[in-house]
Amino acid sequence: MDSRPIGVFDSGIGGISLMRNMIRLLPGEDFIYYGDEKHAPYGTKSEEEILALSLNVVDFLLKHDVKAIVIACNTATSAAAKPLRSSLSLPIIGIEPALKPAQLERKNGGIAVLATPATLRQNKFLSLMKLYGEGAIPVPCPGLMEFVERGITEGEELDVFLNKTLEPLKEIELDGAVLGCTHYSFLARAISKALRGVRLYDGNEGTARQLKRVLEEKGLLSVKQKGTVSLYTSSDSSAAIALMQTLLLKPIEL
Ligand code: DGL
């Protein structure tokens, strides 16, 4: 048993969508969440830059004596999970696009995979494609996470952006769409509308369950009844924390 907190980070507020699943599944745990807003977006940066930024955030979390780290960002997982696992002894949990569950339920149609350009070009995703990529259509969505960072999760500006970005999918019969960036879960309703109500998948529940499994295996679960959530941002504006608090409570419909 271990009552130290779990460190969680993302390039911004997207990881709050995963926080919600983790808090639900592990209500007795303390969480320290860090959104690196100052350096967002990660998804249009190089692998080297994403790794360097991730290592900085991990340093911050380690100073808070965390017992495990959750990379609540598909982009940072691809660039930093491996190096972090080889240099640190505490559990590192990452998130990846939920292509496997989407593939298992696929019939004859395609599966759109919406993610950042960096996630889609990195080896981690290319390996996932080799295993579960039949019928998958990767769609890079640069500019999309910025809507969530601005607190916009619906409305005309977003709809116009989505219709343009998802234009290549227009003529394709889809069985599902994977939200391969933690920010996109907050846009589920708008994305579903743009893709004619197709079934959406995100990796949040699977990742929360993986965290629970690892904590159980290693005897690291907290014995408390009710945990706490501490929110941090690298942004100079306090609006980021207020938005995190709002999004922690916002319903997500997948
Ligand atoms: N939320 C992040 C992800 O899951 C990335 C957003 C970004 O910084 O580009 O990939």
Side-chain angles (χ1 to χ4, degrees), residues 19-190:
M19 279 287 282
R20 301 150 44 103
N21 295 66
M22 295 191 294
I23 294 167
R24 220 176 15 241
L25 207 61
L26 296 161
E29 299 293 336
D30 290 344
F31 290 94
I32 294 187
Y33 182 88
Y34 189 95
D36 195 9
E37 265 89 8
K38 193 178 215 161
H39 304 107
Y42 280 11
T44 47
K45 292 185 166 56
S46 70
E47 276 75 330
E48 293 73 22
E49 286 173 296
I50 300 164
L51 176 59
L53 291 169
S54 303
L55 295 181
N56 260 338
V57 179
V58 166
D59 270 350
F60 170 89
L61 295 173
L62 291 175
K63 285 190 185 118
H64 285 76
D65 193 25
V66 294
K67 63 183 171 188
I69 289 177
V70 178
I71 311 176
C73 174
N74 295 262
T75 311
T77 297
S78 311
K82 250 194 190 161
L84 284 172
R85 284 187 187 123
S86 55
S87 63
L88 297 172
S89 56
L90 77 175
I92 307 289
I93 314 296
I95 185 165
E96 66 179 19
L99 185 53
K100 181 179 172 184
Q103 185 61 255
L104 294 178
E105 289 180 5
R106 188 174 83 93
K107 296 182 183 83
N108 299 313
I111 300 167
V113 186
L114 281 51
T116 68
T119 293
L120 297 178
R121 71 166 181 259
Q122 291 186 77
N123 286 337
K124 188 168 185 357
F125 181 71
L126 301 181
S127 306
L128 192 66
M129 280 290 279
K130 279 198 192 123
L131 290 172
Y132 303 107
E134 207 185 321
I137 308 135
V139 186
C141 301
L144 186 52
M145 69 81 87
E146 285 85 339
F147 281 89
V148 185
E149 290 293 326
R150 285 158 57 208
I152 299 171
T153 55
E154 58 190 340
E156 202 189 331
E157 188 192 355
L158 176 61
D159 291 342
V160 168
F161 181 92
L162 281 171
N163 285 334
K164 186 153 178 270
T165 306
L166 304 178
E167 171 89 38
L169 301 170
K170 224 171 170 180
E171 307 297 326
I172 300 173
E173 179 74 30
L174 292 176
D175 281 341
V178 175
L179 306 181
C181 166
T182 49
H183 282 78
Y184 302 169
S185 300
F186 291 116
L187 305 175
R189 192 188 292 197

Side-chain angles (χ1 to χ4, degrees), residues 221-241:
L221 283 170
S222 156
V223 285
K224 289 200 289 186
Q225 286 294 310
K226 180 128 184 61
T228 59
V229 176
S230 309
L231 302 171
Y232 293 90
T233 173
S234 56
S235 165
D236 300 325
S237 153
S238 59
I241 299 288

